[in-house]
Coordinates of all heavy atoms in Angstrom, one line a residue:
M1 N 123.2 130.0 8.4 CA 123.3 129.1 7.3 C 123.5 127.7 7.8 O 124.3 127.5 8.7 CB 124.5 129.5 6.4 CG 124.7 128.7 5.1 SD 126.0 129.2 4.1 CE 125.5 130.8 3.6
S2 N 122.7 126.8 7.3 CA 122.8 125.4 7.8 C 124.1 124.7 7.3 O 124.7 125.1 6.3 CB 121.6 124.6 7.3 OG 121.8 124.3 5.9
R3 N 124.5 123.7 8.1 CA 125.8 123.0 7.7 C 125.7 122.4 6.3 O 126.7 122.4 5.6 CB 126.0 121.9 8.8 CG 127.4 121.4 8.6 CD 128.1 120.9 9.8 NE 128.1 121.6 11.0 CZ 129.2 122.2 11.5 NH1 130.3 122.2 10.8 NH2 129.1 122.8 12.6
S4 N 124.5 121.9 5.9 CA 124.5 121.3 4.6 C 124.7 122.4 3.5 O 125.3 122.1 2.5 CB 123.1 120.6 4.4 OG 122.1 121.5 4.5
N5 N 124.2 123.6 3.7 CA 124.4 124.7 2.8 C 125.9 125.1 2.8 O 126.4 125.4 1.7 CB 123.5 125.9 3.1 CG 122.1 125.7 2.8 OD1 121.7 124.8 2.1 ND2 121.2 126.5 3.4
L6 N 126.5 125.0 3.9 CA 127.9 125.3 4.0 C 128.8 124.3 3.3 O 129.8 124.7 2.6 CB 128.4 125.4 5.5 CG 127.8 126.6 6.3 CD1 128.2 126.4 7.7 CD2 128.3 127.9 5.7
Q7 N 128.4 123.0 3.3 CA 129.1 122.0 2.6 C 129.0 122.3 1.1 O 130.0 122.1 0.3 CB 128.5 120.6 2.9 CG 128.9 120.2 4.3 CD 128.3 118.9 4.7 OE1 127.2 118.6 4.4 NE2 129.0 118.1 5.5
V8 N 127.8 122.7 0.6 CA 127.6 123.0 -0.8 C 128.5 124.2 -1.2 O 129.1 124.1 -2.3 CB 126.1 123.2 -1.1 CG1 125.9 123.8 -2.5 CG2 125.3 122.0 -0.9
T9 N 128.6 125.2 -0.4 CA 129.4 126.3 -0.7 C 130.9 126.1 -0.5 O 131.7 127.0 -0.8 CB 128.9 127.6 0.1 OG1 129.1 127.3 1.5 CG2 127.5 127.9 -0.2
G10 N 131.3 125.0 0.0 CA 132.7 124.7 0.2 C 133.3 125.4 1.5 O 134.5 125.7 1.5
E11 N 132.5 125.6 2.5 CA 132.9 126.3 3.7 C 133.1 125.3 4.9 O 133.2 125.7 6.0 CB 132.0 127.4 4.1 CG 132.0 128.5 3.0 CD 131.1 129.7 3.4 OE1 130.1 129.5 4.2 OE2 131.3 130.8 2.9
I12 N 133.1 124.0 4.6 CA 133.2 123.0 5.7 C 134.4 122.1 5.3 O 134.5 121.7 4.2 CB 131.9 122.1 5.8 CG1 130.8 123.0 6.4 CG2 132.2 120.9 6.7 CD1 130.9 123.4 7.8
D13 N 135.3 121.9 6.3 CA 136.4 121.0 6.1 C 135.9 119.6 6.0 O 135.2 119.1 6.8 CB 137.4 121.2 7.3 CG 138.6 120.2 7.2 OD1 139.4 120.4 6.3 OD2 138.7 119.3 8.0
F14 N 136.3 118.9 4.9 CA 135.9 117.5 4.7 C 136.2 116.6 5.8 O 135.3 115.8 6.2 CB 136.5 117.0 3.4 CG 136.1 115.6 3.0 CD1 134.9 115.3 2.5 CD2 137.0 114.6 3.3 CE1 134.5 114.0 2.2 CE2 136.7 113.3 3.0 CZ 135.4 113.0 2.4
L15 N 137.4 116.6 6.4 CA 137.8 115.7 7.4 C 137.1 115.9 8.7 O 136.5 115.1 9.3 CB 139.3 115.7 7.6 CG 139.9 114.9 8.7 CD1 139.7 113.4 8.4 CD2 141.4 115.2 8.9
T16 N 137.2 117.1 9.2 CA 136.8 117.4 10.6 C 135.3 117.9 10.7 O 134.7 117.9 11.7 CB 137.6 118.5 11.2 OG1 137.5 119.7 10.4 CG2 139.1 118.1 11.3
Q17 N 134.7 118.3 9.5 CA 133.4 118.8 9.5 C 133.2 120.1 10.2 O 132.1 120.4 10.7 CB 132.4 117.7 9.9 CG 132.3 116.5 9.0 CD 131.9 116.9 7.6 OE1 130.8 117.4 7.4 NE2 132.7 116.6 6.6
I18 N 134.2 120.8 10.4 CA 134.1 122.2 11.0 C 134.3 123.2 9.9 O 134.7 122.8 8.8 CB 135.1 122.4 12.2 CG1 136.5 122.3 11.8 CG2 134.8 121.4 13.3 CD1 137.5 122.7 12.9
H19 N 134.2 124.4 10.2 CA 134.4 125.5 9.2 C 135.8 125.4 8.7 O 136.7 125.0 9.4 CB 134.1 126.9 9.8 CG 132.7 127.1 10.4 ND1 131.6 126.9 9.6 CD2 132.3 127.4 11.6 CE1 130.5 127.2 10.3 NE2 130.9 127.4 11.5
N20 N 136.0 125.9 7.5 CA 137.3 125.9 6.9 C 137.7 127.4 6.6 O 137.0 128.3 7.0 CB 137.3 125.1 5.6 CG 136.4 125.7 4.5 OD1 136.0 126.8 4.5 ND2 136.2 124.9 3.5
E21 N 138.9 127.6 6.1 CA 139.4 128.9 5.8 C 138.5 129.8 5.0 O 138.4 131.0 5.2 CB 140.8 128.8 5.2 CG 141.5 130.1 5.0 CD 142.9 130.0 4.4 OE1 143.4 128.8 4.1 OE2 143.5 131.0 4.1
Q22 N 137.9 129.2 4.0 CA 137.0 129.9 3.1 C 135.8 130.5 4.0 O 135.4 131.7 3.8 CB 136.4 129.1 2.0 CG 135.6 129.8 1.0 CD 136.5 130.9 0.3 OE1 137.6 130.6 -0.1 NE2 136.0 132.1 0.2
Y23 N 135.3 129.8 4.9 CA 134.3 130.3 5.8 C 134.8 131.5 6.6 O 134.1 132.5 6.7 CB 133.8 129.2 6.8 CG 132.7 129.7 7.7 CD1 131.3 129.6 7.3 CD2 133.0 130.3 8.9 CE1 130.3 130.1 8.1 CE2 132.0 130.7 9.8 CZ 130.7 130.6 9.4 OH 129.7 131.1 10.2
L24 N 136.0 131.3 7.1 CA 136.6 132.4 7.9 C 136.7 133.7 7.1 O 136.3 134.8 7.5 CB 137.9 132.0 8.5 CG 138.7 133.0 9.3 CD1 137.9 133.2 10.6 CD2 140.1 132.5 9.7
K25 N 137.2 133.5 5.9 CA 137.3 134.7 5.0 C 136.0 135.3 4.7 O 135.9 136.6 4.6 CB 138.0 134.3 3.7 CG 139.4 133.9 3.8 CD 140.0 133.5 2.4 CE 141.4 133.1 2.6 NZ 141.9 132.5 1.3
N26 N 134.9 134.5 4.5 CA 133.6 135.0 4.1 C 132.8 135.6 5.3 O 132.0 136.5 5.1 CB 132.8 133.9 3.5 CG 133.3 133.5 2.1 OD1 134.1 134.2 1.5 ND2 132.9 132.4 1.7
H27 N 133.1 135.2 6.5 CA 132.2 135.6 7.6 C 132.9 136.2 8.8 O 132.2 136.7 9.8 CB 131.5 134.3 8.2 CG 130.7 133.6 7.1 ND1 129.4 134.1 6.8 CD2 131.0 132.6 6.3 CE1 129.0 133.3 5.8 NE2 129.9 132.4 5.5
Y28 N 134.2 136.3 8.8 CA 134.9 136.8 10.0 C 134.6 138.3 10.3 O 134.4 138.6 11.4 CB 136.4 136.6 9.9 CG 137.2 136.9 11.1 CD1 137.0 136.2 12.3 CD2 138.1 137.9 11.1 CE1 137.7 136.5 13.4 CE2 138.9 138.2 12.3 CZ 138.6 137.5 13.4 OH 139.3 137.8 14.6
Q29 N 134.6 139.1 9.3 CA 134.3 140.5 9.5 C 132.9 140.7 10.1 O 132.7 141.5 11.1 CB 134.4 141.3 8.2 CG 134.3 142.8 8.3 CD 135.3 143.4 9.2 OE1 136.5 143.0 9.1 NE2 135.0 144.3 10.1
E30 N 131.9 140.0 9.6 CA 130.6 140.1 10.2 C 130.5 139.6 11.6 O 129.9 140.2 12.5 CB 129.6 139.2 9.3 CG 128.2 139.2 9.8 CD 127.4 138.2 9.0 OE1 127.8 137.8 7.9 OE2 126.3 137.9 9.5
Y31 N 131.3 138.5 11.9 CA 131.4 138.0 13.2 C 132.0 139.0 14.2 O 131.5 139.3 15.3 CB 132.2 136.7 13.3 CG 132.3 136.1 14.6 CD1 131.3 135.3 15.2 CD2 133.4 136.3 15.4 CE1 131.4 134.8 16.4 CE2 133.5 135.8 16.7 CZ 132.5 135.0 17.2 OH 132.6 134.5 18.5
L32 N 133.0 139.7 13.8 CA 133.7 140.7 14.6 C 132.7 141.9 14.8 O 132.7 142.5 15.9 CB 134.9 141.2 13.9 CG 136.1 140.3 14.0 CD1 137.3 140.9 13.3 CD2 136.5 140.0 15.4
E33 N 132.0 142.3 13.8 CA 131.0 143.4 14.0 C 129.9 143.0 15.0 O 129.5 143.9 15.8 CB 130.4 143.8 12.6 CG 131.4 144.4 11.7 CD 130.9 144.6 10.3 OE1 129.7 144.2 10.0 OE2 131.7 145.0 9.4
Q34 N 129.5 141.8 15.0 CA 128.5 141.3 15.9 C 129.0 141.0 17.3 O 128.3 141.0 18.3 CB 127.7 140.1 15.3 CG 126.9 140.5 14.1 CD 126.3 139.2 13.4 OE1 126.4 138.1 13.9 NE2 125.7 139.4 12.3
N35 N 130.3 140.7 17.4 CA 130.9 140.3 18.6 C 132.2 141.1 18.8 O 133.3 140.5 18.7 CB 131.3 138.8 18.6 CG 130.0 138.0 18.4 OD1 129.3 137.7 19.3 ND2 129.8 137.6 17.1
P36 N 132.1 142.4 19.1 CA 133.3 143.3 19.1 C 134.3 142.9 20.2 O 135.5 143.3 20.1 CB 132.7 144.7 19.3 CG 131.4 144.4 19.9 CD 130.9 143.1 19.4
N37 N 133.9 142.2 21.2 CA 134.9 141.9 22.3 C 135.4 140.4 22.2 O 135.9 139.9 23.1 CB 134.2 142.0 23.6 CG 133.8 143.5 23.9 OD1 134.6 144.4 23.6 ND2 132.7 143.7 24.5
S38 N 135.3 139.9 21.0 CA 135.8 138.5 20.7 C 137.3 138.5 20.7 O 138.0 139.5 20.5 CB 135.2 138.0 19.5 OG 135.5 138.7 18.4
N39 N 137.8 137.3 20.8 CA 139.3 137.0 20.7 C 139.5 136.1 19.5 O 138.7 135.3 19.1 CB 139.8 136.4 22.0 CG 139.6 137.3 23.1 OD1 140.2 138.4 23.2 ND2 138.8 137.0 24.1
F40 N 140.8 136.1 19.0 CA 141.2 135.2 18.0 C 142.3 134.4 18.5 O 143.3 134.9 19.1 CB 141.7 136.1 16.8 CG 142.1 135.2 15.6 CD1 141.2 134.8 14.7 CD2 143.4 134.8 15.4 CE1 141.6 134.1 13.6 CE2 143.8 134.0 14.4 CZ 142.9 133.7 13.4
V41 N 142.1 133.1 18.4 CA 143.1 132.1 18.9 C 143.5 131.2 17.8 O 142.7 130.7 17.1 CB 142.6 131.3 20.1 CG1 143.6 130.2 20.6 CG2 142.1 132.2 21.2
M42 N 144.8 131.0 17.6 CA 145.3 130.1 16.5 C 146.2 129.1 17.2 O 147.0 129.4 18.1 CB 146.1 130.9 15.5 CG 146.6 130.0 14.4 SD 147.5 131.1 13.2 CE 148.3 129.8 12.3
I43 N 145.9 127.8 16.9 CA 146.7 126.7 17.5 C 147.4 126.0 16.4 O 146.9 125.6 15.3 CB 145.7 125.7 18.2 CG1 145.0 126.4 19.3 CG2 146.5 124.5 18.7 CD1 143.8 125.6 19.9
D44 N 148.7 125.8 16.6 CA 149.6 125.1 15.7 C 150.1 123.9 16.4 O 150.8 124.0 17.4 CB 150.7 126.0 15.2 CG 151.6 125.3 14.2 OD1 151.2 124.3 13.6 OD2 152.8 125.8 14.0
F45 N 149.8 122.7 15.9 CA 150.3 121.5 16.5 C 151.7 121.3 16.2 O 152.1 121.0 15.0 CB 149.5 120.2 16.1 CG 148.1 120.2 16.5 CD1 147.0 120.3 15.6 CD2 147.8 120.2 17.9 CE1 145.7 120.3 16.1 CE2 146.5 120.2 18.3 CZ 145.4 120.2 17.4
Q46 N 152.6 121.4 17.1 CA 154.0 121.2 16.9 C 154.3 119.7 16.7 O 153.7 118.9 17.4 CB 154.8 121.7 18.2 CG 154.7 123.2 18.4 CD 155.4 123.9 17.3 OE1 156.5 123.6 16.9 NE2 154.8 125.0 16.8
K47 N 155.1 119.4 15.8 CA 155.5 118.0 15.5 C 154.3 117.1 15.2 O 154.4 115.9 15.4 CB 156.2 117.4 16.7 CG 157.3 118.4 17.3 CD 158.6 117.8 17.3 CE 159.6 118.8 18.0 NZ 160.7 119.1 17.4
F48 N 153.3 117.6 14.6 CA 152.1 116.8 14.2 C 152.6 115.7 13.2 O 152.0 114.6 13.2 CB 151.0 117.7 13.6 CG 149.8 116.9 13.3 CD1 149.0 116.4 14.2 CD2 149.5 116.6 11.9 CE1 147.8 115.6 13.9 CE2 148.4 115.8 11.6 CZ 147.6 115.4 12.6
K49 N 153.5 116.0 12.3 CA 154.0 115.1 11.3 C 154.4 113.8 12.0 O 154.3 112.7 11.5 CB 155.1 115.7 10.5 CG 155.6 114.8 9.4 CD 156.7 115.5 8.6 CE 157.3 114.7 7.5 NZ 157.5 113.3 7.8
S50 N 155.0 113.9 13.2 CA 155.5 112.7 13.9 C 154.4 111.8 14.3 O 154.6 110.6 14.4 CB 156.4 113.1 15.1 OG 155.5 113.7 16.1
I51 N 153.2 112.3 14.6 CA 152.0 111.5 14.9 C 151.7 110.7 13.6 O 151.5 109.4 13.7 CB 150.8 112.3 15.3 CG1 151.1 113.0 16.6 CG2 149.5 111.5 15.4 CD1 150.1 114.0 17.1
N52 N 151.6 111.3 12.5 CA 151.3 110.6 11.2 C 152.4 109.6 10.9 O 152.1 108.4 10.5 CB 151.2 111.6 10.1 CG 149.9 112.3 10.1 OD1 148.9 111.8 10.6 ND2 149.8 113.5 9.5
D53 N 153.7 110.0 11.1 CA 154.8 109.1 10.8 C 154.8 107.9 11.7 O 155.2 106.8 11.3 CB 156.1 109.8 10.8 CG 156.2 110.8 9.7 OD1 155.4 110.8 8.7 OD2 157.1 111.7 9.7
T54 N 154.5 108.1 13.0 CA 154.7 107.0 14.0 C 153.4 106.1 14.0 O 153.6 104.9 14.1 CB 154.9 107.7 15.4 OG1 156.0 108.5 15.3 CG2 155.0 106.6 16.4
F55 N 152.2 106.7 14.0 CA 151.0 106.0 14.2 C 150.2 105.8 12.9 O 149.2 105.1 12.9 CB 150.2 106.6 15.3 CG 150.9 106.7 16.6 CD1 151.4 108.0 17.0 CD2 151.1 105.6 17.4 CE1 152.1 108.1 18.2 CE2 151.8 105.8 18.6 CZ 152.3 107.0 19.0
G56 N 150.5 106.5 11.9 CA 149.8 106.4 10.6 C 148.8 107.6 10.5 O 148.4 108.2 11.4
H57 N 148.4 107.8 9.2 CA 147.5 109.0 8.9 C 146.1 108.8 9.5 O 145.5 109.8 9.8 CB 147.5 109.2 7.4 CG 148.8 109.8 6.9 ND1 149.0 111.1 6.8 CD2 149.9 109.2 6.4 CE1 150.2 111.4 6.4 NE2 150.8 110.2 6.1
N58 N 145.7 107.6 9.6 CA 144.3 107.3 10.2 C 144.3 107.9 11.7 O 143.3 108.5 12.1 CB 143.9 105.9 10.2 CG 143.6 105.4 8.8 OD1 143.3 106.2 7.9 ND2 143.7 104.1 8.6
V59 N 145.4 107.6 12.4 CA 145.4 108.1 13.8 C 145.6 109.6 13.8 O 144.9 110.3 14.6 CB 146.6 107.4 14.6 CG1 146.8 108.1 15.9 CG2 146.3 105.9 14.7
G60 N 146.4 110.2 12.9 CA 146.5 111.6 12.8 C 145.2 112.3 12.5 O 144.8 113.3 13.0
D61 N 144.4 111.7 11.5 CA 143.1 112.2 11.2 C 142.2 112.1 12.4 O 141.4 113.1 12.7 CB 142.5 111.4 10.1 CG 143.1 111.6 8.7 OD1 144.0 112.5 8.6 OD2 142.8 110.9 7.8
L62 N 142.2 111.0 13.1 CA 141.3 110.9 14.3 C 141.7 112.0 15.4 O 140.8 112.5 16.0 CB 141.5 109.5 14.9 CG 140.6 109.2 16.1 CD1 139.1 109.4 15.8 CD2 140.9 107.8 16.6
Y63 N 143.0 112.2 15.5 CA 143.5 113.3 16.4 C 142.9 114.6 16.0 O 142.3 115.3 16.9 CB 145.0 113.3 16.3 CG 145.7 114.2 17.2 CD1 146.2 113.8 18.5 CD2 146.0 115.6 16.9 CE1 146.9 114.6 19.3 CE2 146.7 116.4 17.8 CZ 147.1 115.9 19.0 OH 147.8 116.7 19.8
L64 N 142.9 115.0 14.7 CA 142.3 116.2 14.3 C 140.8 116.3 14.5 O 140.3 117.3 14.9 CB 142.7 116.5 12.8 CG 144.1 116.7 12.5 CD1 144.3 116.7 11.0 CD2 144.6 118.0 13.1
I65 N 140.1 115.2 14.1 CA 138.7 115.1 14.3 C 138.3 115.3 15.7 O 137.4 116.1 16.1 CB 138.1 113.8 13.7 CG1 138.3 113.8 12.2 CG2 136.7 113.6 14.1 CD1 138.1 112.4 11.6
T66 N 139.0 114.6 16.6 CA 138.7 114.6 18.1 C 138.9 116.0 18.6 O 138.1 116.6 19.4 CB 139.5 113.6 18.8 OG1 139.2 112.3 18.3 CG2 139.2 113.6 20.3
F67 N 140.0 116.6 18.2 CA 140.3 118.0 18.7 C 139.3 119.0 18.2 O 138.9 119.9 19.0 CB 141.7 118.4 18.3 CG 142.2 119.6 19.0 CD1 142.6 119.6 20.3 CD2 142.3 120.8 18.4 CE1 143.0 120.7 21.0 CE2 142.7 122.0 19.0 CZ 143.1 121.9 20.3
A68 N 138.9 118.9 17.0 CA 137.8 119.7 16.4 C 136.5 119.6 17.2 O 135.9 120.6 17.5 CB 137.6 119.4 14.9
Q69 N 136.2 118.4 17.5 CA 134.9 118.1 18.3 C 135.0 118.8 19.7 O 134.1 119.3 20.2 CB 134.7 116.6 18.4 CG 134.3 116.0 17.1 CD 134.2 114.5 17.1 OE1 134.7 113.9 18.1 NE2 133.6 113.9 16.1
I70 N 136.2 118.6 20.3 CA 136.4 119.2 21.7 C 136.3 120.7 21.6 O 135.6 121.4 22.4 CB 137.8 118.8 22.2 CG1 137.8 117.3 22.6 CG2 138.2 119.7 23.4 CD1 139.2 116.8 22.9
L71 N 136.9 121.3 20.6 CA 136.8 122.8 20.4 C 135.3 123.2 20.2 O 134.9 124.2 20.8 CB 137.7 123.3 19.3 CG 139.2 123.2 19.5 CD1 139.9 123.6 18.2 CD2 139.6 124.1 20.7
E72 N 134.6 122.5 19.3 CA 133.2 122.9 19.0 C 132.4 122.8 20.3 O 131.5 123.6 20.5 CB 132.7 122.1 17.9 CG 133.2 122.7 16.5 CD 132.2 122.4 15.4 OE1 131.6 121.3 15.3 OE2 131.9 123.4 14.7
R73 N 132.6 121.7 21.0 CA 131.8 121.5 22.2 C 132.0 122.6 23.3 O 131.1 123.0 24.0 CB 132.1 120.1 22.9 CG 131.1 119.1 22.6 CD 131.3 117.9 23.5 NE 132.6 117.5 23.7 CZ 133.3 116.6 23.1 NH1 132.8 116.0 22.0 NH2 134.5 116.3 23.4
N74 N 133.3 123.0 23.4 CA 133.6 124.0 24.4 C 133.6 125.4 24.0 O 133.5 126.3 24.9 CB 135.0 123.6 25.0 CG 135.0 122.4 25.8 OD1 134.6 122.4 26.9 ND2 135.5 121.3 25.2
F75 N 133.6 125.7 22.7 CA 133.5 127.1 22.2 C 132.3 127.1 21.2 O 132.4 127.6 20.1 CB 134.8 127.5 21.5 CG 136.0 127.5 22.5 CD1 136.8 126.4 22.6 CD2 136.2 128.5 23.3 CE1 137.9 126.3 23.4 CE2 137.3 128.5 24.2 CZ 138.1 127.4 24.3
F76 N 131.2 126.7 21.7 CA 130.0 126.5 20.9 C 129.5 127.8 20.3 O 128.8 127.8 19.3 CB 128.9 125.9 21.7 CG 128.6 126.5 23.0 CD1 127.7 127.5 23.1 CD2 129.2 126.0 24.1 CE1 127.4 128.1 24.3 CE2 129.0 126.6 25.4 CZ 128.1 127.7 25.5
D77 N 129.8 129.0 20.9 CA 129.3 130.3 20.3 C 130.4 131.0 19.6 O 130.3 132.2 19.3 CB 128.7 131.1 21.4 CG 129.7 131.4 22.5 OD1 130.8 130.8 22.6 OD2 129.5 132.4 23.4
S78 N 131.4 130.2 19.2 CA 132.6 130.8 18.5 C 132.7 130.2 17.1 O 132.0 129.2 16.8 CB 133.9 130.5 19.3 OG 133.8 131.0 20.6
I79 N 133.5 130.8 16.3 CA 133.9 130.2 15.0 C 135.1 129.3 15.2 O 136.1 129.8 15.6 CB 134.2 131.3 14.0 CG1 133.0 132.3 13.7 CG2 134.6 130.7 12.6 CD1 133.3 133.4 12.8
V80 N 134.9 128.1 14.9 CA 136.0 127.1 15.0 C 136.4 126.7 13.6 O 135.5 126.3 12.8 CB 135.6 125.9 15.8 CG1 136.8 124.9 15.9 CG2 135.2 126.3 17.3
V81 N 137.6 126.9 13.2 CA 138.1 126.8 11.8 C 139.3 125.9 11.7 O 140.2 126.0 12.6 CB 138.4 128.2 11.2 CG1 138.9 128.0 9.8 CG2 137.2 129.1 11.3
R82 N 139.3 125.1 10.7 CA 140.6 124.3 10.4 C 141.1 124.9 9.1 O 140.5 125.0 8.1 CB 140.3 122.8 10.2 CG 141.5 122.1 9.8 CD 141.3 120.6 9.8 NE 142.6 120.0 9.4 CZ 142.7 119.1 8.4 NH1 141.6 118.7 7.8 NH2 143.9 118.6 8.1

């Protein structure tokens, strides 16, 4: 499915432009069936609120966007979700 179609179906995160939770719910089972040896990794940014409080929400947004881009570049054959 093309990214523009995913945007229409609401499966792309507006800020980071990566897949969102709805995409994960809709496609994770199929992904696991096609990639049975895959792994699931969840990252929680500790103290992320302090970035927004100290530097502002624009910097916090840039932090999330940059991290999403790094993940997509390095895990290009994986599902990257926010």
